[in-house]
Amino acid sequence: MVTYKRPTEHYRTFMLNYTTYVRTEATQWVTFVHGAGGSSSIWHKQLREFKKYFNVLLLDLRGHGNSKPNLKDAFSDKYTFDSITDDIVEVIDYENIPESHFVGISLGTILIRNLAEKYPEKVSSMVMGGAIMKLDFRSQVLMRLGVIFKSIVPYIWLYKFFAFIIMPNKNHRESRSLFVREAKKLYQKEFIRWFKLTSEINPLLRFFRGADIEIPTLYVMGGEDHLFLPTVENVVQKHKASTLVTIQFCGHVVNVEQPQLFNGLVINYLNNLRLPGAVSEVG
């Protein structure tokens, strides 16, 4: 019989809001990291399956979900990828989790890769859903427009526009709706703080593309993820510890659009950690 401790929800003034699901027979942890504008609720289609095999840590990034800005953040206009990454590490250290698999989506994949660069001993493997490894010309134009209008236009208008550009197809509607619904919970000032992170993205991603970190990495990309898939295909050819699975007829937010395929692929990968370098298509 499989037994669990009751899920434990935590909130402390110096940490993120997070919930742990501890399976008494499990020794491995999986930590889920959502993207900008989302929250831990985007993993609801993963939770039931993953907690059958692993201890699970769900967290809300600062300013998202139930991680409301604390007093320290109220006087800081600047977030950095390092400071947000350290938020995650603070939770992991507090929970005495020596090492974890990390599963991320969209901007969450950048945070996971940054964490692996800074604290490789804490990362068993990385699963990068809808990974962002480069902003192409179109993406950079969009970001520049956002910088110009971020203090003039209500942020939710910008967010809806970006969501449509990234997830334009009819079958992407559920993903768009989910992320817009979660983004509405942000404050305008909080959105602007996160948007300013875009100034750090290009040099950081350039470094990630050039550095083979040699930690087992599974990229799960949608075949219709037109902005980000081509770069990931190139990266996997160069990074020997990387594997790419492309889910056809699927967009950017693969865990929401194709949850059963995503769950099966990722759980199988984590349980077996297949030989790296393979590229396959599903669907």
Side-chain angles (χ1 to χ4, degrees), residues 53 63 67 77 84 120-121 125 137 152 156 159 170-171 188 196 204 209 211 219 232 236 246 249 263 273-274:
Y53 304 95
S67 291
D77 287 329
I84 295 168
E121 73 282 358
S125 70
F137 178 76
I152 305 170
I156 200 64
Y159 199 89
K170 184 179 295 185
N171 56 305
Q188 178 92 4
K196 287 180 178 178
L204 193 62
R209 293 194 303 273
Y219 292 93
V232 171
V236 169
T246 303
F249 312 110
N263 295 348
L273 282 179
R274 300 166 296 173

Side-chain angles (χ1 to χ4, degrees), residues 29-33 57 59 88-89 92 97 99-104 111-113 115-116 119 122-128 218 266 270:
W29 282 85
V30 173
T31 300
F32 288 93
V33 183
L57 169 61
L59 51 82
I88 301 170
V89 172
I92 291 167
I97 300 172
E99 192 174 357
S100 177
H101 303 286
F102 287 85
V103 180
L111 295 172
I112 289 172
R113 177 59 193 269
L115 193 155
Y119 308 98
K122 297 181 183 295
V123 181
S124 304
S125 70
M126 300 182 288
V127 176
M128 315 287 248
L218 173 65
V266 175
L270 297 183

Side-chain angles (χ1 to χ4, degrees), residues 36-37 62-64 67-80 84 146 149-156 158 183-197:
R62 62 168 73 177
H64 293 67
S67 291
K68 301 305 180 187
N70 58 27
L71 188 61
K72 178 180 69 175
D73 293 333
F75 295 98
S76 172
D77 287 329
K78 184 172 176 61
Y79 288 175
T80 67
I84 295 168
F149 292 109
K150 68 179 185 300
S151 300
I152 305 170
V153 176
Y155 80 90
I156 200 64
L158 288 175
K184 286 180 179 178
K185 299 175 185 178
L186 291 175
Y187 300 106
Q188 178 92 4
K189 190 172 183 179
E190 193 68 23
F191 174 84
I192 291 173
R193 285 170 172 162
W194 276 85
F195 203 90
K196 287 180 178 178
L197 278 174

Side-chain angles (χ1 to χ4, degrees), residues 19-22 29-30 32 47 50-51 54-58:
T19 306
T20 55
Y21 298 83
V22 179
W29 282 85
V30 173
F32 288 93
L47 182 58
F50 276 80
K51 70 181 185 178
F54 307 100
N55 301 319
V56 172
L57 169 61
L58 295 178

